[in-house]
Amino acid sequence: MNIWVFMGRYDCELFATTHLTEKGAVLTALSDIVEYLGIDERSTRICPRSEEDKPLPWDDDELKALPTTELWEVYRGYCEHLWDDSQYEIEVKQTQVAG
């Protein structure tokens, strides 16, 4: 059986969650990123590196409404802002349940 794993490291502590769907894993990753970055309705939205692109969504309801392909684009946009952060690392991977 295929599953999706959201895994990461924050301040030398490892964590992971497992998901039956790809979308569930990416949504969890995005929720964790938004929390880590402290983004909320009072914050200035994070913009992608390209000035032509619109700000990245952060609201749970807005993210849940997006198809998985668009969620991956949002995830990649946030990861661009985290690539040099040595305190926080995350990844979403597909794997299989071992029997």
Side-chain angles (χ1 to χ4, degrees), residues 1-5 7 18-19 92-98:
M1 171 182 197
N2 290 332
I3 61 169
W4 290 84
V5 179
M7 57 199 147
T18 56
H19 303 267
V92 176
K93 290 285 189 184
Q94 183 180 24
T95 189
Q96 291 188 337
V97 174

Side-chain angles (χ1 to χ4, degrees), residues 37-58:
L37 294 174
I39 301 170
D40 60 22
E41 61 275 352
R42 297 171 304 220
S43 304
T44 304
R45 295 177 127 194
I46 290 184
C47 294
R49 300 282 184 206
S50 169
E51 293 179 15
E52 300 165 356
D53 294 335
K54 62 183 180 180
L56 296 169
W58 58 270

Side-chain angles (χ1 to χ4, degrees), residues 9-57:
R9 182 189 57 79
Y10 174 68
D11 200 22
C12 297
E13 295 289 327
L14 299 174
F15 60 89
T17 60
T18 56
H19 303 267
L20 295 176
T21 66
E22 178 180 8
K23 186 172 185 170
V26 179
L27 283 170
T28 300
L30 288 169
S31 177
D32 199 73
I33 292 168
V34 166
E35 182 179 343
Y36 174 73
L37 294 174
I39 301 170
D40 60 22
E41 61 275 352
R42 297 171 304 220
S43 304
T44 304
R45 295 177 127 194
I46 290 184
C47 294
R49 300 282 184 206
S50 169
E51 293 179 15
E52 300 165 356
D53 294 335
K54 62 183 180 180
L56 296 169

Side-chain angles (χ1 to χ4, degrees), residues 27-93:
L27 283 170
T28 300
L30 288 169
S31 177
D32 199 73
I33 292 168
V34 166
E35 182 179 343
Y36 174 73
L37 294 174
I39 301 170
D40 60 22
E41 61 275 352
R42 297 171 304 220
S43 304
T44 304
R45 295 177 127 194
I46 290 184
C47 294
R49 300 282 184 206
S50 169
E51 293 179 15
E52 300 165 356
D53 294 335
K54 62 183 180 180
L56 296 169
W58 58 270
D59 180 70
D60 282 340
D61 293 332
E62 187 178 353
L63 291 168
K64 286 177 187 174
L66 296 175
T68 305
T69 54
E70 287 184 38
L71 288 174
W72 278 113
E73 290 300 317
V74 174
Y75 174 82
R76 282 190 277 282
Y78 278 116
C79 285
E80 286 183 21
H81 293 276
L82 298 168
W83 72 270
D84 64 346
D85 189 334
S86 61
Q87 183 177 345
Y88 180 74
E89 295 177 87
I90 56 167
E91 194 159 351
V92 176
K93 290 285 189 184

